[in-house]
């Protein structure tokens, strides 16, 4: 941990629970990542309220993601955030995507006349044969250097939560961006339920995720490293996702956020479906934020 950014201990989770979740849900054996470790700890940065898992060495490697992507259908796919990010693209700009996956976003950028480059950790994804009008490099972000070249925009979708050294990430990003260049980040939103209601959601645990982001904590971290927030948006919560939340077991941790869902659970039992659907739509559009967020930063001088 970095002494410049003081943290406080929040709680710990038994590693045998985490191992069982991956085995039961995806038939993936992650026991080697937790060898000799009885608990995974969660800490919170006092300055920014960013929460993260510790120790850092339990992060997934290339072999973990190769195994996971073979077991989980559509692990790489088009995202809600892609459409929003494309609104910031202009023909002739140079963009870098960190964790480009199956290159779906790079393809859209290239259609717009953007000079697009992707960094992809999974060598099989990076090496897929394709009639590409863009470049994909099989490397991790911290090993990548563009010498004196600077990018107009750097984008990463559902990647930052996998990175353990947040300080190094933002510092390296600044080196690669032009003055007033943009940094576009999407991450899971841990406000609605991922951390509050379903603490042991498998794909929100190590070795998959190392960070537990909210819109507020991400904006504060960006500001700390010299990035001005331009826009912050949350993915609308779908009816399917709302039903998923309502079917989760009741929480023993009470809060205003939980109470909103608790009331809706009770209402669902007594109202006709047509009336409930109207109320639930109002809940989704007015009272709760969705499971993902996207933030647009601009590099300060």
């Amino acid at each position: 941990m970095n002494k410049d950014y003081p943290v406080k201990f929040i709680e710990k989770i038994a590693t045998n629970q985490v191992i069982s979740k991956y085995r039961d849900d995806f038939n993936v054996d992650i026991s080697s990542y937790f060898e000799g470790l009885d608990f995974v700890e969660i800490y919170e940065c006092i300055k920014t309220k960013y929460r993260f898992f510790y120790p850092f060495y339990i992060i997934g490697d290339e072999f973990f993601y190769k195994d996971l992507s073979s077991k989980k259908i559509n692990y790489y796919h088009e995202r809600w955030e892609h459409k929003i990010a494309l609104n910031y693209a202009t023909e002739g700009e140079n963009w870098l995507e960190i964790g480009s996956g199956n290159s779906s976003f790079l393809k859209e950028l290239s259609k717009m006349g953007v000079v697009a480059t992707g960094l992809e950790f999974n060598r099989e994804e990076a090496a897929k044969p394709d009639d590409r009008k863009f470049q994909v490099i099989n490397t991790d972000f911290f090993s990548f250097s563009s010498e004196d070249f600077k990018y107009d925009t750097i984008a990463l979708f559902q990647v930052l939560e996998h990175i353990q050294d947040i300080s190094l990430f933002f510092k390296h990003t600044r080196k690669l961006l032009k003055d007033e260049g943009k940094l576009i980040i999407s991450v899971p939103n841990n406000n609605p339920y991922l951390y509050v209601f379903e603490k042991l959601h498998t794909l929100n645990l190590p070795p998959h995720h190392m960070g537990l982001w909210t819109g507020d904590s991400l904006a504060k971290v960006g500001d700390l490293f010299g990035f001005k927030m331009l826009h912050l948006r949350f993915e609308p919560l779908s009816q399917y996702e709302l039903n998923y939340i309502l079917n989760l077991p009741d929480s023993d941790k009470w809060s205003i956020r939980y109470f909103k869902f608790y009331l809706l659970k009770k209402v669902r039992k007594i109202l006709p479906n047509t009336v409930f659907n109207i109320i639930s739509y109002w809940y989704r559009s007015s009272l709760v934020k969705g499971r993902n967020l996207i933030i647009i930063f601009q590099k300060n001088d």
Side-chain angles (χ1 to χ4, degrees):
M1 297 187 202
N2 194 319
K3 64 180 180 180
D4 294 328
Y5 308 107
V7 301
K8 64 179 180 181
F9 172 78
I10 299 299
E11 62 180 302
K12 59 185 179 181
I13 300 173
T15 53
N16 60 5
Q17 287 184 284
V18 180
I19 293 169
S20 295
K21 289 289 292 182
Y22 277 93
R23 183 184 62 242
D24 296 343
D25 292 349
F26 298 107
N27 194 28
V28 173
D29 181 10
I30 61 166
S31 56
S32 62
Y33 294 93
F34 303 102
E35 199 167 323
L37 197 63
D38 294 326
F39 294 94
V40 174
E41 298 175 326
I42 298 175
Y43 287 85
E44 181 179 275
C45 172
I46 294 173
K47 290 182 179 180
T48 64
K49 306 303 180 186
Y50 164 58
R51 291 188 174 189
F52 58 91
F53 293 101
Y54 187 83
F56 293 140
Y57 65 77
I58 57 178
I59 189 171
D61 55 16
E62 177 187 357
F63 302 103
F64 167 74
Y65 286 103
K66 180 180 178 181
D67 195 12
L68 182 63
S69 61
S70 69
K71 304 289 176 58
K72 188 179 186 306
I73 299 174
N74 291 332
Y75 180 72
Y76 296 116
H77 59 276
E78 295 181 6
R79 301 184 182 277
W80 160 82
E81 308 97 292
H82 289 175
K83 295 180 181 179
I84 296 173
L86 289 171
N87 291 327
Y88 294 87
T90 302
E91 184 178 359
E93 287 185 333
N94 285 280
W95 280 51
L96 177 69
E97 184 187 4
I98 305 169
S100 53
N102 64 1
S103 304
S104 60
F105 183 67
L106 296 177
K107 291 174 185 176
E108 294 303 315
L109 285 175
S110 64
K111 290 177 185 177
M112 299 176 65
V114 173
V115 182
T117 301
L119 307 181
E120 176 49 46
F121 197 40
N122 184 331
R123 70 184 69 188
E124 291 186 4
E125 287 290 343
K128 279 185 176 178
D130 198 357
D131 183 18
R132 289 172 168 169
K133 296 180 180 179
F134 49 84
Q135 182 182 22
V136 179
I137 304 171
N138 177 220
T139 186
D140 68 277
F141 177 60
F142 299 108
S143 301
F144 177 73
S145 174
S146 60
E147 299 178 355
D148 296 327
F149 185 79
K150 303 285 186 179
Y151 290 92
D152 294 287
T153 300
I154 295 177
L156 57 158
F157 306 99
Q158 309 294 322
V159 171
L160 190 62
E161 67 273 16
H162 302 272
I163 295 175
Q164 76 272 39
D165 196 332
I166 299 303
S167 172
L168 183 59
F169 168 80
F170 277 94
K171 290 176 181 177
H172 192 46
T173 301
R174 284 188 63 85
K175 292 179 182 179
L176 295 172
L177 273 176
K178 292 180 179 179
D179 292 340
E180 299 187 350
K182 291 182 179 64
L183 173 61
I184 301 178
I185 300 173
S186 74
V187 290
N189 173 27
N190 282 276
N191 264 339
Y193 69 91
L194 271 180
Y195 184 69
V196 177
F197 299 104
E198 198 180 11
K199 199 170 293 183
L200 290 180
H201 184 86
T202 309
L203 293 181
N204 207 34
L205 293 168
H208 190 237
H209 285 182
M210 293 300 294
L212 299 165
W213 291 101
T214 65
D216 184 55
S217 64
L218 186 50
K220 287 179 178 176
V221 170
D223 181 66
L224 197 62
F225 289 97
F227 288 90
K228 177 176 68 175
M229 185 185 76
L230 299 180
H231 301 287
L232 170 64
R233 289 184 61 178
F234 295 88
E235 182 178 15
L237 194 69
S238 69
Q239 186 63 48
Y240 170 82
E241 290 168 331
L242 179 59
N243 290 337
Y244 177 84
I245 298 170
L246 297 179
N247 289 330
L248 291 172
D250 288 341
S251 172
D252 57 0
K253 212 175 204 180
W254 282 89
S255 66
I256 293 176
R257 190 180 297 122
Y258 174 69
F259 189 62
K260 293 176 184 178
F261 291 101
Y262 180 79
L263 279 179
L264 194 57
K265 273 188 173 187
K266 300 305 178 185
V267 167
R268 182 172 62 168
K269 293 181 179 178
I270 60 175
L271 291 179
N273 285 338
T274 53
V275 178
F276 171 75
N277 288 338
I278 294 172
I279 294 176
S280 63
Y281 174 80
W282 175 69
Y283 258 68
R284 292 190 290 113
S285 59
S286 304
L287 288 184
V288 295
K289 295 181 174 67
R291 65 179 300 167
N292 295 304
L293 65 89
I294 184 170
I295 193 166
I296 316 297
F297 285 118
Q298 186 174 55
K299 177 183 173 182
N300 287 333
D301 295 337

